């Protein structure tokens, strides 16, 4: 009997309330449209049939108006979730599906709230933190469709995507995610140092939209991939031995905003391979 491969440890993954609310609203709207269809179709057919016996032109007119009304009534309704927020969480959910394919010696955390006194609100959010045999990783997720051109060091990356219903490309750009990821890695590394762990985390960029293509990904300062490539990306790094207390530190990231430990306040640092006393 074949056994399914072990998957990454995702017990610390938190749900996405916005995505769950959107899907719940879509299911309820679909049920309402189904009930409306079962009620309106027989009623419309009966009305048009009776009118046809009296005045065929009037029956055709009423049928056309009723058909247009049904068409617009059956269109999917708007979501209460902000479109920008919805796109973001859909991308993160796609990336999470890719991270689940990692072996069980990898641990995945999402929506990590990291203290950062340099920001006005005192914290920043990391899309994913992954711990495993290749070290600690920060994954930055973008959910933009189209052909993305990687331009290392540039302020923006060119983006080409289809415009409307035509096949003609529309040229645009996205902010270079390398800069955001670099800031996240810097903040995460400082937080680790404050908590007694001298370790430089690694970073990767995931372009999660199902209709994205990447050009010149090898030129980027960090690995750039789609969700299905995350497993190979994170496993391809050189082996890194994590300090014994790193799992406990990660536990603090999956709860309330973490604070420096007593050892950090004393300024004592340990290397990743130094045993805990």
């Amino acid at each position: 009997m074949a056994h399914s491969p072990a998957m990454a440890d995702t017990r610390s993954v938190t749900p996405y309330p916005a995505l769950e609310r959107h899907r719940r609203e879509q299911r309820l709207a679909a049920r309402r449209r189904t009930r409306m269809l079962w009620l309106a179709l027989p009623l419309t057919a009966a009305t048009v049939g009776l009118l046809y016996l009296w005045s065929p032109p009037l029956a055709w007119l009423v049928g056309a108006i009723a058909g247009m009304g049904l068409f617009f009534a059956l269109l999917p309704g708007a979501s209460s979730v902000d479109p920008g927020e919805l796109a973001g969480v859909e991308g993160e959910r796609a990336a999470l599906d890719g991270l689940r394919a990692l072996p069980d010696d990898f641990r995945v955390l999402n929506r990590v709230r990291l203290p950062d006194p340099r920001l006005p609100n005192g914290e920043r959010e990391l899309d994913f933190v992954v711990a495993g045999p290749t070290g600690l990783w920060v994954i930055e997720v973008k959910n933009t469709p189209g052909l993305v051109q990687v331009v290392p060091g540039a302020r923006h990356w060119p983006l080409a995507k289809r415009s409307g219903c035509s096949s003609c490309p529309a040229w645009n750009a996205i902010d270079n995610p390398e800069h955001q990821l670099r800031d996240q890695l810097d903040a995460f590394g400082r937080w680790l140092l404050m908590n007694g762990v001298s370790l430089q985390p690694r970073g990767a960029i995931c372009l999660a939209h199902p209709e994205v293509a990447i050009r010149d990904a090898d030129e980027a300062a960090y690995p750039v991939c789609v969700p299905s490539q995350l497993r190979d990306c994170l496993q391809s790094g050189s082996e890194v031995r994590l300090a014994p207390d790193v799992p406990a530190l990660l536990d603090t990231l999956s709860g309330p905003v973490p604070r420096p430990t007593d050892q950090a306040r004393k300024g004592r640092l340990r290397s990743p391979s130094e045993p805990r006393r």
Side-chain angles (χ1 to χ4, degrees):
M1 180 178 178
H3 296 280
S4 59
M7 310 296 280
D9 180 0
T10 57
R11 288 174 295 178
S12 299
V13 169
T14 59
Y16 295 98
L19 183 58
E20 293 175 355
R21 185 170 77 249
H22 169 74
R23 291 179 174 176
R24 182 169 60 251
E25 290 174 355
Q26 294 299 100
R27 288 193 298 269
L28 292 174
R31 294 193 189 104
R32 287 195 296 268
R33 291 195 300 269
T34 300
R35 289 195 296 267
M36 181 184 299
L37 191 62
W38 280 104
L39 177 64
L41 275 181
L43 182 61
T44 301
T47 302
V48 171
L50 291 174
L51 286 175
Y52 189 83
L53 298 176
W54 178 58
S55 173
L58 180 60
W60 283 111
L61 177 62
V62 171
I65 295 173
M68 292 179 60
L70 281 175
F71 172 78
F72 287 107
L74 296 177
L75 289 175
S79 173
S80 65
V81 182
D82 177 75
E85 180 184 5
L86 181 59
V89 295
E90 285 180 334
E92 291 180 34
R93 186 57 184 267
L96 177 60
D97 291 340
L99 292 171
R100 291 184 193 276
L102 286 164
D104 58 1
D105 51 358
F106 282 84
R107 182 182 178 188
V108 180
L109 294 86
N110 68 330
R111 313 186 76 185
V112 173
R113 296 169 61 206
L114 189 72
D116 190 345
R118 298 182 304 175
L119 296 181
N121 64 350
E123 65 181 51
R124 69 171 67 238
E125 183 173 307
L126 313 182
D127 292 336
F128 291 97
V129 169
V130 181
T134 55
L136 288 176
W137 292 80
V138 174
I139 313 297
E140 173 61 23
V141 180
K142 299 299 180 185
N143 193 34
T144 302
L147 174 62
V148 177
Q149 173 76 45
V150 173
V151 183
R155 184 176 180 181
H156 300 95
W157 285 356
L159 171 68
K161 57 182 179 180
R162 287 180 295 181
S163 177
C165 299
S166 68
S167 58
C168 298
W171 298 97
N172 208 321
I174 62 172
D175 291 336
N176 185 346
E178 293 176 325
H179 305 312
Q180 182 179 0
L181 180 58
R182 187 176 296 113
D183 291 341
Q184 292 175 348
L185 291 171
D186 181 56
F188 192 28
R190 286 199 319 274
W191 180 81
L192 289 169
L193 201 61
M194 291 173 63
N195 285 276
V197 176
S198 177
L199 176 64
Q200 181 59 44
R202 296 171 169 174
I205 298 166
C206 179
L207 302 183
H209 199 280
E211 298 180 359
V212 73
I214 310 170
R215 178 177 293 173
D216 295 335
D218 294 339
E219 302 295 325
Y222 305 98
V224 181
C225 62
V226 296
S228 61
Q229 298 171 329
L230 279 171
R231 173 180 174 142
D232 292 339
C233 175
L234 270 63
Q235 286 188 289
S236 63
S238 58
E239 187 172 345
V240 175
R241 183 181 176 186
L242 299 178
D245 52 354
V246 166
L249 284 177
L250 294 181
D251 287 337
T252 67
L253 289 177
S254 61
V257 179
R259 303 300 178 192
T261 62
D262 292 337
Q263 288 184 346
R265 286 191 288 269
K266 293 176 183 178
R268 181 181 182 275
L269 305 180
R270 286 188 307 278
S271 67
S273 59
E274 182 181 347
R276 190 175 186 179
R277 296 179 182 176

